[in-house]
Amino acid sequence: MSTEAFEPELMDYSRRQPRLPEPVIEGNDALDIPLDERMEMYRLQQELRQFEKRAYDLFMQNLVKGTSHLSLGMEAVATGFGRALRPDDYSFATYRGHAHTLARGAPMGPVMAELLGRSNGILGGKGGSMHLASVEHGMMGSYAIIGAHLCIANGAGWSAQLRGTEQVAVVFFGDGTTNIGAFHEALNFAKIWELPVVFVCENNLYMEYTPIDLVTAVEHPAADRATAYGLEPILVDGNDADAVYDVAQGVIETARRGEGPSLVEAVTYRHGGHSRADPGKYRPPGEVEAWLDRDPIITYHQRLLRLGVPEGDLTRIAQDVARRVDEATEFAKAGPVPDEGDLMTDMWADGGSAWRN
Amino acid sequence: MAELSYRDAVAYGIAQEMRRDPNLVMLGEDIAAAGGVFKTTVGLLDEFGPRRIRDTPISEQAILGAAMGAAMTGIPVIAEIMFSDFLAVCFDIVANEMAKSRYMTGGQMTVPVVVRTANGGGSRFGAQHSQSVENWCMMIPGLKVVAPSNSRDVVGLMAASIRDPDPVVFFEHKSLLATKGEVPEGEIVDELGKATVVREGTDCTIVALALMVPRALAAAERLAGEGISAEVIDLRTLVPLDTQTVLASVAKTNRLYTVEENPRLCGWGAEVASIVGDEAFWDLDGPLVRITTPHIPLPAAEALEDMAIPSVDRIHETITKTLD
C-alpha cells in the first residue's frame, strides 16, 4: 500500500472509486443444466432471500438478539454449490452461514427458531446465528472465528478418504479469511494429502468494513494464491447460480474421483452491511446500486423467462416460499424459551457437563 | 512385563489401542519415520503403516483441524503437538472449536480426539519449550485434561483418553520420559477422573501431578525420617477432577499442600484449594499451602530453572516450616 492511502480523505472508503460488477453473461443461458434443476435453483434462491429478509425483520422487531450476518445478495453461491453436492457430502461455513445451512436442506422453522433463541431451534438455542449446523444434512457447522474451519474441513475430507466413501467436503469463507494463517496451512495440507476438499471463497469485496483490495497483496484474494499451493486459479461469477453450479460440479467431481482439492473464488456482493450493527456507509455512491442491478435472483428470473418459463410459474414459487417462511416464523415464535434444565446438558458425549466427582 | 520407560510406554499404549481399533489414526510432525522428536512413537509406523501414522508439515492448526474434522465424521484421531507450548499457535482449534462444538450444536457433534503433547520443564530449553500448560486447558469448558506420572499410567490413561468420546489433551512430561516403571501384562484401561493415593499418611496431604509426583514422594520419604507422615495423591487427570479422593484425604490429615509445576496464577492447585476451603473448611487445622513455580517465564540456565520449579528440597522445607 502506498503512503497516499494514509491521507485522511482516502481513508474514507466511501470516497474511493466504486467497484462495479461485470455484466451478466447471457451465454450462460446455454450451460448444460436441465430446466428442472434450474427451477430448483430458483426456488432455493428464493428461500435464502426470503428467509434472510425475514431474519432481518425479526431483528428489527428485537425478536432476534445478539448479531447476525446475512447473505442477502450472495445466494447464488450457496445455491450453486448446495445443489451440486451429494446428500452425504459435508459443508462448512463461517458465521455467515444461514444460507449454507438451508441450502443443504435443513428445515427453515428450526433454523429460524435458533435465531430467536428458542428450544425448538436446530441447536436448542445453544449455538445461535453464528453456529448453525445440521449434521444429519451434512452441514457440519458454522465457525465464527475465521480460518479454523478450513483446517477442520480437511479433516472431514481425510476421514472420507480413509473410509473410502467418495464424500467431498466443501468449505465456504469470505475474502477476509484469505489473509489469516489457517487459510494457507489448510491449502498446503489439503494439497499434499490430495484431500477431497473444495475451498470456496465468497469474495464480496469487503472484509467486514474494509475494502479487501486495501488489505490484500494480490488482486484476487483467493484465486491469485492458488498456484502457491499447486492449484489452478478458478474465478467464477458468484452472482450467477448457473455459473457457480457448473464450476461446482466440476471441482466436486474432481475431489470425488480422488484427484484432490480445488480453490474457487466466487465474486459477489452483500447487499447489506457486515452484520446487524453495520449500515455499510463505507461503500462509494453507485456501488450498491450497480450490484443491486446484478441481483442474482432478478437476473436468474430473467434467464428463466428467456428460457421460456412462464412468469406465473416463477410467481407461484415465490409465493409458495413466502408462505413457508411465514410458517417457519410462526414455528419459531411459538417455540418455548429454553429452561434451566437445558443449560448444563451436552457438553460431554454422556449428555452432561460434570467436571468433578 | 519387565520395566518400561515412560517414553516407551507412550508408543506401547498407543499400539494397544491401534490394534483394538483399526479406524484409529495418528498425525503429527516427525511422528512417523523419525518416531517422534522425543522417540515416543518409535515402531508405530512399522506396525501400522503410513496410512494410519502420518507425518505432517509444521502446521499446528492444520494438524488439529484435520484431527477434529476426521473425529467428527467418524474417525478417532490422536494428534501430536510436539511441545505443549505450541498449543498457543493452534489454541483457537483447541479452545474455541473442539471444546465447544458439542455444546454449541446441542449435542449434534462428537469429537473423539486425543491431543498428545510434551509438557514441562527440566530440559533447559528456556521459556518457549518448557512450560507446564495443563492449566491453560483445564480452564476451558469442554476439554478433558490428563497428565500421567509413570509408565503404567501412561498406558492406562492413554487407553482411557482414546476411548473417551470427548476431546482430551494428554500431557506427557519431558522430564519423566527416561524414568522406568512396571507395566503389568495384558490390556490396561483406566478411568479418567480417578486420582491415586500413592503414599498413605496421616499428618498432611500433598496433591501433585506428573513430574511433581515423584518429587512429592521423595519429600514425603524425607519427612517420614523426621516423624512426619505425609499422604501423597497423584491427581492423574485435572478434568474430570477427583475431588472426593482429595477431600477424603484432607478429612484424615487435616492439612493440604499442592505441588504444581505451572506458574502460580490460576494453577490447578488454586481450584483444588478452593474446593477444599469450601467443602472441608472445618477439617482443616491450618492454611492451604500451594507450592508452585513462581509467576515468571521459565529461565534456560540449569541453576535458574532448578530454582524455579518446585524441588524436593522446597517441598520438604515448605512443609516442615508450615506444618504445626
Side-chain angles (χ1 to χ4, degrees):
Chain A
M1 192 191 295
S2 72
T3 51
E4 290 167 11
F6 296 107
E7 295 297 322
E9 59 272 22
L10 290 173
M11 292 302 288
D12 176 356
Y13 304 140
S14 73
R15 294 168 66 170
R16 302 177 81 226
Q17 285 297 313
R19 295 183 64 187
L20 303 176
E22 299 289 324
V24 174
I25 303 169
E26 290 201 8
N28 285 347
D29 291 8
L31 283 171
D32 183 20
I33 300 170
L35 189 58
D36 285 357
E37 182 54 49
R38 282 180 153 140
M39 295 303 281
E40 288 302 322
M41 287 203 276
Y42 182 74
R43 172 183 290 277
L44 181 52
Q45 289 183 89
Q46 280 287 348
E47 284 181 11
L48 306 184
R49 171 65 53 90
Q50 295 192 38
F51 180 94
E52 292 286 61
K53 281 187 160 177
R54 180 61 52 84
Y56 181 80
D57 293 344
L58 295 172
F59 267 124
M60 292 297 119
Q61 296 166 33
N62 204 29
L63 281 166
V64 177
K65 307 295 167 66
T67 187
S68 186
H69 306 77
L70 304 177
S71 290
L72 291 168
M74 299 165 59
E75 295 88 347
V77 184
T79 296
F81 272 93
R83 292 294 309 170
L85 287 167
R86 219 166 70 177
D88 63 342
D89 287 333
Y90 299 117
S91 299
F92 293 81
T94 65
Y95 48 79
R96 198 180 304 284
H98 304 176
H100 296 299
T101 306
L102 296 171
R104 295 306 307 280
M108 278 196 271
V111 174
M112 193 74 86
E114 187 64 28
L115 304 189
L116 268 64
R118 303 303 169 95
S119 64
N120 58 344
I122 198 158
L123 315 171
K126 284 176 171 164
S129 165
M130 293 202 282
H131 298 297
L132 295 177
S134 184
V135 170
E136 67 175 300
H137 295 95
M139 172 47 184
M140 303 307 287
S142 306
Y143 297 78
I145 304 172
I146 61 161
H149 72 307
L150 281 75
C151 300
I152 299 166
N154 275 345
W158 180 32
S159 158
Q161 194 183 59
L162 285 166
R163 290 180 285 114
T165 55
E166 299 182 346
Q167 290 163 287
V168 174
V170 177
V171 53
F172 302 95
F173 51 93
D175 41 278
T177 303
T178 66
N179 290 324
I180 201 165
F183 168 84
H184 301 272
E185 286 194 23
L187 287 170
N188 181 62
F189 194 93
K191 181 60 184 174
I192 58 171
W193 286 20
E194 291 292 356
L195 297 175
V197 179
V198 178
F199 298 88
V200 183
C201 174
E202 298 177 278
N203 179 5
N204 62 26
L205 312 184
Y206 290 87
M207 57 142 281
E208 305 198 7
Y209 298 54
T210 302
I212 191 65
D213 60 291
L214 288 182
V215 293
T216 308
V218 292
E219 182 185 359
H220 300 294
D224 289 350
R225 267 83 173 251
T227 53
Y229 301 105
L231 301 171
E232 181 190 343
I234 303 174
L235 269 170
V236 63
D237 179 352
N239 275 22
D240 183 335
D242 285 346
V244 174
Y245 181 78
D246 189 53
V247 165
Q249 281 193 311
V251 293
I252 289 167
E253 269 318 300
T254 298
R256 212 181 295 294
R257 282 196 305 267
E259 293 170 15
S262 297
L263 172 61
V264 176
E265 178 173 332
V267 181
T268 182
Y269 198 80
R270 59 170 149 75
H271 289 170
H274 166 68
S275 67
R276 178 195 183 192
D278 170 25
K281 289 185 175 168
Y282 40 81
R283 301 188 288 192
E287 186 176 277
V288 177
E289 294 77 3
W291 282 92
L292 285 171
D293 284 344
R294 275 287 267 114
D295 182 316
I297 297 174
I298 293 173
T299 54
Y300 206 72
H301 187 110
Q302 290 162 348
R303 171 170 297 151
L304 292 174
L305 295 179
R306 283 197 299 275
L307 293 171
V309 177
E311 175 96 46
D313 289 6
L314 300 177
T315 305
R316 268 191 296 282
I317 288 174
Q319 286 170 343
D320 180 55
V321 169
R323 180 182 55 75
R324 290 178 48 233
V325 170
D326 284 344
E327 287 170 5
T329 307
E330 291 314 307
F331 174 85
K333 284 181 175 174
V337 171
D339 62 30
E340 209 172 325
D342 300 319
L343 180 66
M344 303 299 286
T345 59
D346 283 330
M347 185 168 85
W348 304 131
D350 68 7
S353 58
W355 55 269
R356 58 168 287 193
N357 59 5
Chain B
M1 175 185 279
E3 289 198 322
L4 208 58
S5 72
Y6 187 104
R7 182 193 319 279
D8 292 342
V10 173
Y12 181 89
I14 293 167
Q16 172 186 297
E17 293 306 297
M18 293 197 96
R19 286 180 204 123
R20 177 187 62 84
D21 182 356
N23 286 323
L24 180 62
V25 294
M26 181 162 74
L27 80 171
E29 297 158 14
D30 298 327
I31 64 155
V37 298
F38 295 107
K39 301 297 172 199
T40 46
T41 55
V42 169
L44 296 175
L45 175 65
D46 289 343
E47 180 171 356
F48 301 106
R51 188 177 150 85
R52 296 180 67 192
I53 307 288
R54 289 195 81 163
D55 280 329
T56 69
I58 301 175
S59 301
E60 279 80 8
Q61 295 183 85
I63 293 168
L64 291 194
M68 174 173 167
M72 62 198 248
T73 54
I75 297 287
V77 184
I78 305 168
E80 179 177 304
I81 297 298
M82 190 183 288
F83 285 81
S84 63
D85 316 69
F86 305 172
L87 286 172
V89 299
C90 50
F91 212 51
D92 177 40
I93 296 181
V94 176
N96 291 318
E97 309 298 353
M98 58 173 68
K100 294 178 171 59
S101 57
R102 183 170 187 87
Y103 187 87
M104 285 199 305
T105 61
Q108 289 187 45
M109 286 177 192
T110 305
V111 187
V113 170
V114 177
V115 179
R116 294 176 42 241
T117 188
N119 193 48
S123 301
R124 322 320 184 187
F125 288 161
Q128 296 178 345
H129 290 73
S130 304
Q131 297 171 84
S132 284
V133 303
E134 55 273 13
N135 57 330
W136 294 3
C137 294
M138 185 187 189
M139 67 176 74
I140 306 296
L143 295 178
K144 293 179 180 174
V145 181
V146 177
S149 71
N150 60 77
S151 302
R152 190 222 154 275
D153 282 3
V154 166
V155 179
L157 291 172
M158 182 73 76
S161 300
I162 290 167
R163 296 183 193 195
D164 195 283
D166 297 309
V168 177
V169 186
F170 191 95
F171 290 100
E172 296 161 11
H173 202 294
K174 296 193 285 291
S175 288
L176 290 170
L177 292 172
T179 63
K180 293 198 167 181
E182 191 70 28
V183 176
E185 291 285 348
E187 187 181 79
I188 307 173
V189 187
D190 288 343
E191 189 181 338
L192 300 184
K194 293 286 177 202
T196 307
V197 177
V198 289
R199 181 188 176 106
E200 295 204 0
T202 53
D203 296 332
C204 67
T205 297
I206 308 173
V207 181
L209 187 76
L211 179 65
M212 296 299 101
V213 173
R215 293 190 183 181
L217 282 169
E221 185 63 26
R222 202 181 292 176
L223 289 165
E226 296 159 8
I228 296 171
S229 167
E231 180 147 299
V232 180
I233 294 174
D234 178 354
L235 223 38
R236 301 168 86 234
T237 72
L238 295 180
V239 182
L241 185 63
D242 183 359
T243 57
Q244 293 309 316
T245 296
V246 175
L247 290 165
S249 178
V250 171
K252 180 173 70 171
T253 66
N254 312 118
R255 287 300 298 268
L256 175 76
Y257 294 87
T258 64
V259 187
E260 306 161 51
E261 188 176 338
N262 48 233
R264 178 85 189 183
L265 300 188
C266 304
W268 57 261
E271 187 59 49
V272 171
S274 161
I275 290 168
V276 169
D278 278 348
E279 300 176 25
F281 185 74
W282 303 108
D283 288 335
L284 291 168
D285 285 343
L288 306 162
V289 178
R290 293 179 59 209
I291 303 165
T292 75
T293 295
H295 207 68
I296 51 170
L298 273 180
E302 194 168 9
L304 292 173
E305 189 181 33
D306 285 346
M307 278 181 242
I309 298 173
S311 61
V312 176
D313 286 344
R314 178 137 68 94
I315 299 165
H316 171 259
E317 187 185 332
T318 305
I319 293 174
T320 52
K321 276 187 182 166
T322 55
L323 194 68
D324 297 328

